[in-house]
């Protein structure tokens, strides 16, 4: 089972630039083309939030045009730049978003790996929160399939990255999430967005990784007094590959056209 994982495209209304500087829409189209070129093709595509930048219906309408290039089943969760109700309305036809409340859902039909989506966003705020209702929902959901390998997806990372200006907007109550995960060893991976960089660590008895953005990268500045900044680094996506006899391998795949293939390994 192959899962293409995109994150934080920050799609803007047609003709507008992200932060007035970067063509995030064109960069997302390049990511869609990269997914289309995968061989073998992905079984499912996931996007871990911040699909659009301003939360407006106009941006969601344009996002749907750009997403039309993805032919695989598409699993979406909101980020802090999304607007929950507009997101729910825009993607209601996908059939898995709940009619009210947080946009949690489960996808079980695309292969041996179960995908559990957790909406820990707080409308109107930039940080997330793994609150009591979210904990109860996740506990119940994971307990329902204790033997099936599982991937859990959310937007804000539940840990301190060391980048001070993004850690202000992490997911609160990370230890509570870790405690739930420790009771469910079938969770092979927790995946997040938000941080616009690839990071990996052990968390809650499993592995957690963050996906790079398809647009700008948040500067890796680890001083406590660092000033916020971003770079136009090579964008990338993650490719999660489940093999029954191996488990789940996560690949970091740069987006673009590069010299090669060369006739050696």
């Amino acid at each position: 089972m192959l899962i293409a994982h995109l994150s934080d495209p920050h799609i803007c209304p047609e003709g507008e630039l992200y932060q007035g500087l970067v063509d995030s829409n064109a960069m997302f189209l390049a990511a869609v083309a990269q997914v289309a070129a995968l061989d073998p093709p992905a079984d499912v595509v996931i996007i871990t939030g911040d699909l659009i930048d301003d939360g407006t219906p106009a941006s969601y309408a344009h996002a749907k045009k750009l997403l039309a290039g993805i032919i695989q089943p598409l699993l979406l969760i909101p980020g802090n730049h999304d607007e929950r109700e507009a997101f729910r309305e825009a993607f209601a036809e996908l059939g898995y978003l709940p009619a009210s409340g947080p946009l949690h859902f489960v996808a079980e039909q695309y292969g041996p790996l179960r995908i559990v989506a957790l909406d820990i966003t707080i409308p109107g705020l930039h940080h997330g929160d793994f609150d009591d209702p979210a904990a109860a929902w996740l506990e119940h959901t994971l307990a329902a399939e204790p033997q099936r390998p599982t991937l859990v997806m959310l937007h804000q990372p539940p840990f301190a990255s060391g980048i001070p200006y993004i850690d202000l907007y992490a997911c609160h109550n990370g230890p509570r999430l870790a405690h739930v995960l420790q009771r469910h060893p079938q969770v092979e991976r927790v995946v997040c967005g938000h941080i616009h960089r690839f990071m990996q660590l052990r968390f809650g008895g499993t592995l957690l990784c963050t996906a790079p953005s398809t647009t700008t990268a948040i500067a890796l500045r680890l001083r406590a007094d660092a000033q916020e900044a971003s770079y136009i680094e090579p964008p990338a996506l993650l490719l999660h590959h489940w093999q029954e006899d191996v488990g789940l391998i996560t690949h970091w795949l740069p987006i673009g056209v590069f010299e090669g293939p060369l006739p050696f390994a």
Side-chain angles (χ1 to χ4, degrees):
M1 181 180 181
L2 207 55
I3 302 169
H5 178 187
L6 307 176
S7 199
D8 296 82
H10 289 270
I11 293 168
C12 297
E14 189 168 6
E16 294 187 16
L17 300 177
Y18 174 49
Q19 300 294 323
L21 297 170
V22 180
D23 194 346
S24 59
N25 294 350
M27 296 177 81
F28 183 65
L29 283 176
V32 170
Q34 192 91 0
V35 170
L38 291 172
D39 185 17
D43 296 290
V44 63
V45 177
I46 66 174
I47 302 180
T48 46
D50 282 357
L51 178 65
I52 68 171
D53 191 53
D54 62 6
T56 63
S59 288
Y60 283 116
H62 189 52
K64 292 177 75 170
K65 293 179 183 177
L66 303 188
L67 289 167
I70 296 175
I71 62 171
Q72 289 87 355
L74 184 62
L75 303 179
L76 304 167
I77 56 170
N80 52 295
H81 282 264
D82 290 297
E83 200 286 317
R84 181 180 285 168
E85 297 311 317
F87 188 102
R88 192 193 317 271
E89 182 177 353
F91 299 107
E93 73 272 13
L94 295 177
Y96 53 75
L97 296 177
S100 62
L103 300 176
H104 311 319
F105 64 88
V106 181
E108 305 183 287
Q109 65 271 44
Y110 302 116
L113 200 71
R114 188 179 191 227
I115 300 173
V116 173
L118 189 63
D119 175 11
I120 44 81
T121 61
I122 306 172
L125 298 175
H126 286 295
H127 70 275
D129 187 17
F130 186 66
D131 59 14
D132 288 338
W137 183 88
L138 184 62
E139 180 73 54
H140 174 79
T141 300
L142 294 177
E145 289 277 4
Q147 302 303 319
R148 187 166 177 185
T150 299
L151 179 146
V152 175
M153 55 188 280
L154 59 154
H155 182 63
Q156 291 98 332
F159 66 92
S161 72
I163 302 175
Y165 42 84
I166 195 64
D167 286 343
L168 294 171
Y169 310 118
C171 175
H172 293 187
N173 291 306
R176 177 187 287 155
L177 174 56
H179 188 61
V180 172
L181 294 170
Q182 284 168 347
R183 293 195 292 273
H184 298 281
Q186 79 272 25
V187 176
E188 292 280 340
R189 197 78 83 250
V190 179
V191 298
C192 306
H194 187 61
I195 212 160
H196 288 221
R197 302 201 67 84
F198 177 77
M199 297 183 185
Q200 181 172 275
L201 71 158
R202 287 197 61 78
F203 181 87
T206 187
L207 289 177
L208 183 154
C209 62
T210 66
S213 169
T214 61
T215 183
T216 53
I218 288 174
L220 183 57
R221 294 180 172 180
L222 300 177
R223 291 180 58 93
D225 60 351
Q227 297 298 304
E228 64 181 19
S230 292
Y231 287 91
I232 304 178
E233 296 179 2
L237 58 89
L238 298 183
L239 202 59
H240 307 290
H241 186 196
W242 170 260
Q243 302 170 84
E244 201 70 46
D245 56 342
V246 175
L248 189 63
I249 301 174
T250 293
H251 302 274
W252 181 91
L253 181 64
I255 295 167
V257 178
F258 307 98
E259 186 175 354
L262 306 178
F264 55 84

